């Protein structure tokens, strides 16, 4: 009789451990989307950046002379640095400091003429 109780306890303990392990695995593998995903644009719609889950982006930023430059390429982040690998006639990398406040994205952008520019964009689409 005592042997059956011990066996039942072992089975229950083993099942509890398996269920716990499955629960922990499920919780730890939950997908959390990057808060930068989506389209961000200024209040006029003149400037925007679209950041996609596949690691690509497109952007249009207004320069200090009020002309716009279009960008495409790949992106990644390290802490609060958005690393843009820009593709075009000349490929280059631009590091952009970013911060988020709710649905507002702040970028410290370096324009084509190498001037620093603060860009404020609003989340418009996922």
């Amino acid at each position: 009789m005592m042997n059956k109780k011990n066996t039942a306890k072992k089975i229950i303990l083993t099942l509890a451990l398996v269920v716990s392990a499955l629960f922990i695995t499920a919780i730890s593998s939950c997908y959390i989307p990057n808060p930068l995903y989506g389209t961000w644009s200024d209040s006029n719609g003149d400037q925007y950046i679209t950041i996609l889950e596949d690691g690509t982006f497109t952007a249009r930023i207004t320069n200090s002379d009020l002309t716009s430059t279009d960008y495409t390429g790949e992106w990644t982040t390290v802490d609060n640095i958005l690393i843009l690998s820009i593709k075009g006639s000349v490929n280059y990398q631009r590091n952009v400091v970013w911060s988020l406040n709710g649905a507002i994205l702040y970028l410290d952008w370096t324009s084509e003429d190498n001037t620093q520019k603060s860009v404020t964009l609003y989340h418009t689409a996922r």
Side-chain angles (χ1 to χ4, degrees):
M1 187 79 150
M2 193 63 136
N3 203 10
K4 287 184 179 182
K5 283 184 179 180
N6 286 339
T7 303
K9 284 182 181 180
K10 286 180 182 179
I11 291 172
I12 290 172
L13 181 60
T14 302
L15 285 173
L17 288 173
V18 168
V19 168
S20 296
L22 289 173
F23 180 75
I24 290 170
T25 302
I27 294 285
S28 66
S29 66
C30 288
Y31 172 75
I32 299 172
N34 189 311
L36 293 175
Y37 291 160
T39 299
W40 303 81
S41 63
D42 66 3
S43 56
N44 299 326
D46 298 331
Q47 301 182 100
Y48 69 87
I49 186 166
T50 300
I51 299 173
L52 301 175
E53 287 184 66
D54 67 0
T56 61
F57 80 96
T58 59
R60 173 175 289 149
I61 303 295
T62 304
N63 300 309
S64 59
D65 64 0
L66 301 182
T67 60
S68 293
T69 302
D70 291 332
Y71 302 92
T72 60
E74 297 174 349
W75 70 275
T76 189
T77 59
V78 175
D79 297 326
N80 70 326
I81 306 295
L82 180 60
I83 303 167
L84 303 176
S85 299
I86 298 170
K87 309 295 183 201
S89 57
V90 176
N91 296 338
Y92 59 99
Q93 182 173 304
R94 174 164 290 150
N95 295 338
V96 179
V97 176
W98 67 274
S99 65
L100 238 126
N101 187 0
I104 303 172
L105 175 63
Y106 300 97
L107 301 174
D108 292 334
W109 192 272
T110 304
S111 294
E112 287 295 303
D113 58 3
N114 287 323
T115 58
Q116 281 293 120
K117 174 181 181 161
S118 293
V119 179
T120 302
L121 303 172
Y122 304 93
H123 201 228
T124 57
R126 275 252 173 242

